Amino acid sequence: MSTLETDLGRSPAPGSSGGRAVAGGEARPPAAPAERRPKLMRQTDLIDRVSRYNPDTDEALLNRAYVYAMKAHGEQKRASGDPYFSHPLQVAAILTDLKLDDATIAAALLHDTIEDTATTRAEIDELFGGEIGMLVEGLTKLKKLDLVTKEAKQAENLRKLLLAIAADVRVLLVKLADRLHNMRTLQYMRPESRIRVAQETLDIYAPLAGRMGMHEMREELEDLAFREINPEGYAVVSERLNALAGRQQHLIAEIEDQLTRKLADRGIAAKVTGRRKRAYSVWRKMERKSIGFEQLSDIFGFRVLVKTIDEVYAALGIVHTTWPVVPTRFKDYISTPKGNDYRSIHTTVIGPGKQRVELQIRTFEMHEIAEYGIAAHALYKDELGSPTEVLARESRAYAWLRHTVEMLSEGSNPEEFLEHTKLELFHDQVFCFTPKGA
Ligand code: MN
C-alpha cells in the first residue's frame, strides 16, 4: 500500500515533460496551460482528509492556517505557473497520508511564509501559538542550509539539521514532505538547481528518511533523484523493467493467489500483495552485485501481512515447505530488528514458473512501522507523556537521533563528525552511486 502515491501532485512520467532543457541553458518546459492545472484543494477537502484519522481535529485552526497562507502567498507563482499556495497545500496533503497532528499540518501550510512573504515569527506565534511558530521557524532555518557543499561547511550544516530535527522530529517530517513535493515537480526548475536539489536528496534526505524508518518516502525520493542525476541509467532500467513486467504480469496475480490459498488452507488469513521494484533499487542491486540486467530475475517483491508473530513464523514454514529456498537470502529482522525499528522476515524461494520470488513476511503492526517509521510513532500521545517522550521510549530511530546529537554536542571536529554521521546514515546500505555517463 503506497499511500504516499496519492493522486495529488504526481509529476508527469519522465519524457512527458515536453523535452529536457539543454544543460546550462535557461530553457524550461513551458508552464502547463491553465485549463490543465489541477484545481487547488479546498479547505473542506483538507479537513476531510485529517478528520478521517483524527476525529478531534481543530478545524478552526486548520482553516485559519489555510486562509492565512493563501493570502500571504497572494499572487506568487511557482515555476510551473501554478499559484504558489498549491505547494504548501500539497505538502500538507502528503502529511495527512502520514496521519500527522494538527500542529504539523498547520506548520506545513505555513512553512514558506516567513521565508517568502512579509510574515514574521512573532505573527505566527500570535495567531497560531508558539508550538506552530517554532516548527515554522525551524523549517525556515533548514531552507537556508546548503547540504551539498565543501566538507567543513557541510558538517556545520548537517549539524544544524540534526539539531533542528532532534528538537522536534516533526520539523523533519514537514521537510521531507516539502522535499518530496519539490522533487515531484522538479522538471520546472532550472537545470542547475535540479541537479543540486536531486543530489542533496540522494545524499542527505533520502538516507535520513530511511534512517527514520520511512521506507516509502525514501524509495520515492531516491527514484526521483536517480531520474534527474542519471537520466540514461533511469531510462535503461525502466525500459527493461517495463518489458519484463509486461511478459510476467500474470505471475504477480498467480503468486498472490497461490500464496493466499496455501496460507488459508492452514488457517492463516493473510494479505498478500506483489509489486514491481523501483528503478533505483534495481539499479543499485546491479551495481552492488556487478551483474547485468539479464541476471536480475527477481524484479517483483511480495509482502505477506498477518495478524500475529506466531502466524509470521507459521507462514514462513508453509512457504519454505512449499517452494525451494534460495540459500543465503533468509533474514530474520524480527529476532534482530534493524536500528531504525524495521522488523520483518525476508526470504527468497523458487516459486511458480521457476520464478525467483522475494518475500517479506510480517504483522500488520510491523508493516505500519516499516512504511511510516518514526511518523507512525510521532502522533501517539498518551497520558504519560508528550509525543517526544513516547518517541524516546518506543523508537530506536529516535534514540539514534538523540545519540548522534549528544555526540556532536561533545564537540568533535567538523570533519570527524561529518565522517561519522555519514557512516551512521548510510551504514545499512551500500553507498556506491556513480552516475555513469552523466
Ligand atoms: Mn517549500
Side-chain angles (χ1 to χ4, degrees):
M1 265 174 307
S2 80
T3 46
L4 285 175
E5 284 176 45
T6 60
D7 50 345
L8 293 155
R10 297 292 290 165
S11 56
S16 68
S17 63
R20 296 188 86 74
V22 183
E26 280 293 300
R28 289 184 218 178
E35 68 274 14
R36 275 199 291 143
R37 273 177 222 144
K39 285 214 184 77
L40 282 185
M41 193 194 318
R42 290 171 308 173
Q43 272 163 272
T44 49
D45 296 333
L46 181 69
I47 306 269
D48 281 351
R49 279 169 156 265
V50 179
S51 335
R52 254 176 259 151
Y53 62 84
N54 179 10
D56 299 329
T57 178
D58 183 348
E59 289 187 28
L61 171 78
L62 296 184
N63 277 326
R64 267 187 293 131
Y66 182 107
V67 172
Y68 183 89
M70 187 171 66
K71 285 191 180 152
H73 288 293
E75 295 296 302
Q76 290 173 356
K77 293 263 189 286
R78 300 204 86 206
S80 61
D82 289 331
Y84 191 89
F85 180 58
S86 65
H87 164 67
L89 198 49
Q90 295 296 345
V91 174
I94 290 169
L95 293 166
T96 63
D97 286 340
L98 294 171
K99 303 184 181 160
L100 288 166
D101 64 339
D102 289 341
T104 312
I105 304 296
L109 291 170
L110 299 165
H111 81 271
D112 281 329
T113 55
I114 295 182
E115 174 78 9
D116 297 339
T117 77
T119 301
T120 61
R121 161 83 197 263
E123 208 173 331
I124 302 264
D125 280 358
E126 199 186 307
L127 292 169
F128 302 99
E131 184 188 8
I132 292 171
M134 185 263 303
L135 291 171
V136 176
E137 188 171 40
L139 285 152
T140 307
K141 284 182 186 154
L142 292 196
K143 202 172 174 177
K144 294 175 189 147
L145 294 184
D146 186 353
L147 296 166
V148 203
T149 174
K150 292 213 178 65
E151 291 233 323
K153 185 89 180 130
Q154 189 183 16
E156 193 44 44
N157 286 346
L158 204 47
R159 216 185 256 264
K160 286 184 185 155
L161 173 72
L162 291 174
L163 281 169
I165 303 167
D168 194 319
V169 79
R170 293 175 298 179
V171 169
L172 175 66
L173 300 176
V174 181
K175 182 66 202 180
L176 288 173
D178 175 46
R179 181 50 57 97
L180 184 59
H181 184 245
N182 285 331
M183 288 300 295
R184 282 175 180 175
T185 51
L186 198 62
Q187 75 270 25
Y188 297 112
M189 277 190 190
R190 285 206 309 275
E192 316 85 82
S193 353
R194 290 210 299 249
I195 291 284
R196 189 183 54 76
V197 170
Q199 194 67 55
E200 189 184 70
T201 300
L202 202 59
D203 287 353
I204 308 291
Y205 288 110
L208 206 45
R211 205 65 189 70
M212 293 296 116
M214 303 166 75
H215 295 285
E216 191 64 36
M217 175 80 81
R218 170 178 145 190
E219 285 183 9
E220 191 179 348
L221 286 173
E222 281 175 348
D223 228 42
L224 291 166
F226 176 47
R227 184 171 93 189
E228 185 59 41
I229 293 169
N230 187 349
E232 288 152 41
Y234 182 86
V236 169
V237 175
S238 301
E239 266 166 40
R240 300 223 183 140
L241 271 179
N242 286 339
L244 259 183
R247 285 203 297 277
Q248 301 178 344
Q249 202 56 43
H250 67 283
L251 269 178
I252 290 194
E254 194 181 318
I255 292 169
E256 279 178 0
D257 217 54
Q258 279 208 30
L259 262 170
T260 310
R261 254 185 303 119
K262 292 249 184 239
L263 296 172
D265 286 349
R266 307 279 280 273
I268 300 174
K271 187 171 174 224
V272 181
T273 47
R275 57 168 204 155
R276 254 174 72 170
K277 291 184 182 168
R278 287 181 187 267
Y280 182 66
S281 81
V282 170
W283 169 266
R284 207 166 54 189
K285 194 166 201 168
M286 287 164 62
E287 292 240 307
R288 194 166 62 220
K289 303 196 165 167
S290 332
I291 51 173
F293 200 86
E294 320 73 50
Q295 293 156 272
L296 198 84
S297 52
D298 43 351
I299 62 159
F300 298 121
F302 289 82
R303 276 188 193 133
V304 180
L305 304 183
V306 295
K307 284 203 201 72
T308 64
I309 292 188
D310 283 352
E311 283 184 344
V312 169
Y313 287 99
L316 176 68
I318 293 165
V319 167
H320 279 186
T321 49
T322 306
W323 294 293
V325 180
V326 177
T328 76
R329 297 294 302 273
F330 174 73
K331 296 209 172 72
D332 186 343
Y333 295 119
I334 292 175
S335 80
T336 322
K338 287 196 183 186
N340 59 10
D341 303 322
Y342 180 81
R343 294 197 297 161
S344 187
I345 299 278
H346 289 189
T347 191
T348 304
V349 297
I350 311 290
K354 299 268 171 272
Q355 179 69 26
R356 276 162 70 111
V357 178
E358 215 172 277
L359 291 155
Q360 299 174 338
I361 310 173
R362 56 197 183 221
T363 65
F364 287 99
E365 198 194 336
M366 291 171 189
H367 183 63
E368 184 93 339
I369 303 286
E371 291 284 280
Y372 302 128
I374 204 157
H377 296 283
L379 261 192
Y380 301 133
K381 302 186 195 192
D382 58 21
E383 295 94 82
L384 294 171
S386 66
T388 302
E389 282 158 8
V390 175
L391 267 173
R393 270 205 311 278
E394 290 182 359
S395 165
R396 289 155 55 105
Y398 192 69
W400 169 82
L401 188 64
R402 296 296 284 257
H403 170 76
T404 306
V405 170
E406 264 164 38
M407 204 191 58
L408 56 102
S409 62
E410 282 161 17
S412 52
N413 73 54
E415 284 76 17
E416 234 173 78
F417 163 73
L418 186 65
E419 211 37 55
H420 188 84
T421 308
K422 277 185 170 169
L423 277 177
E424 285 277 319
L425 215 47
F426 296 106
H427 89 281
D428 66 338
Q429 46 181 304
V430 181
F431 187 40
C432 62
F433 184 81
T434 43
K436 281 181 190 148

